[in-house]
Amino acid sequence: HMLREVPFDPYLPWVFMGEEIILSARLWTSGYDMFSPAQAVVGHIYVRGNKPKFWDSIRRVYHRDDLEVLPLLRIKHELGYPEAARDFIRTPTVLSDLQPHYTMGRVRTLKDYMKYAGIDVYRKESFITHYCEEHLMPPGKEQFAKLYRDAENE
């Protein structure tokens, strides 16, 4: 259901850094709410010695850096980073072709998402971290607090 309404952006191949924030912003602005468990339920290991890493694939196979840069600029543009504003685009790129079904939703605004998430793209800082650190419910979602308390007591 979610992927039909908010499909992955095919103009973001090989994205590693930025995938979570762009998808969460698109989902939230499309009306989806986000929750995180009070306890870790899944994880992954970044440190794997000499094993190949996802982010090395592009350079290893294509010997190009722009395949990483252009999608990252597209993400920054969608999130409102000033250095990726449309008036900075000199030549047509993947930034120029922003199909409506790969952009922000219409239920809530990007500005409200950034406030909700505590992200300032102009100052490049996060200013709300206590929800995660203290296992608090975001404003307006207090009715779900019991689920979090029950999970912590298991």
Side-chain angles (χ1 to χ4, degrees), residues 24 28 43 46 79 90 106 114 117 134 142:
S24 64
W28 196 85
Y46 279 108
L79 294 173
R90 292 190 181 95
R106 306 283 184 251
M114 292 300 195
E134 300 170 26
E142 293 82 5

Side-chain angles (χ1 to χ4, degrees), residues 1-128:
H1 181 264
M2 174 206 75
L3 288 177
R4 279 192 297 261
E5 290 189 23
V6 184
F8 285 112
D9 186 341
Y11 294 100
L12 297 178
W14 302 295
V15 170
F16 181 76
M17 288 187 25
E19 175 187 16
E20 293 89 351
I21 188 171
I22 191 64
L23 187 57
S24 64
R26 290 181 56 224
L27 286 166
W28 196 85
T29 59
S30 296
Y32 288 87
D33 290 325
M34 309 224 183
F35 301 92
S36 67
Q39 297 176 349
V41 293
V42 68
H44 54 87
I45 302 170
Y46 279 108
V47 182
R48 292 180 300 180
N50 59 0
K51 301 288 184 190
K53 310 292 187 293
F54 171 82
W55 48 85
D56 293 328
S57 300
I58 297 170
R59 282 184 225 98
R60 188 175 62 245
V61 175
Y62 296 103
H63 310 289
R64 296 176 61 162
D65 287 331
D66 59 335
L67 293 174
E68 291 176 274
V69 173
L70 290 176
L72 186 56
L73 282 173
R74 181 179 174 91
I75 290 170
K76 286 183 162 189
H77 175 75
E78 278 291 293
L79 294 173
Y81 278 77
E83 67 269 21
R86 192 174 288 278
D87 55 342
F88 282 109
I89 302 171
R90 292 190 181 95
T91 57
T93 68
V94 293
L95 295 175
S96 308
D97 187 23
L98 294 173
Q99 302 291 328
H101 47 285
Y102 302 126
T103 60
M104 296 299 143
R106 306 283 184 251
V107 176
R108 297 183 268 208
T109 68
L110 176 61
K111 181 180 177 182
D112 286 341
Y113 170 77
M114 292 300 195
K115 182 179 176 184
Y116 172 80
I119 299 169
D120 185 329
V121 295
Y122 293 95
R123 292 187 178 142
K124 311 287 188 285
E125 62 186 27
S126 177
F127 56 87
I128 297 177

Side-chain angles (χ1 to χ4, degrees), residues 127-143:
F127 56 87
I128 297 177
T129 59
H130 66 279
Y131 296 122
C132 295
E133 294 162 359
E134 300 170 26
H135 302 287
L136 300 174
M137 297 304 303
K141 303 300 176 191
E142 293 82 5
Q143 72 268 28

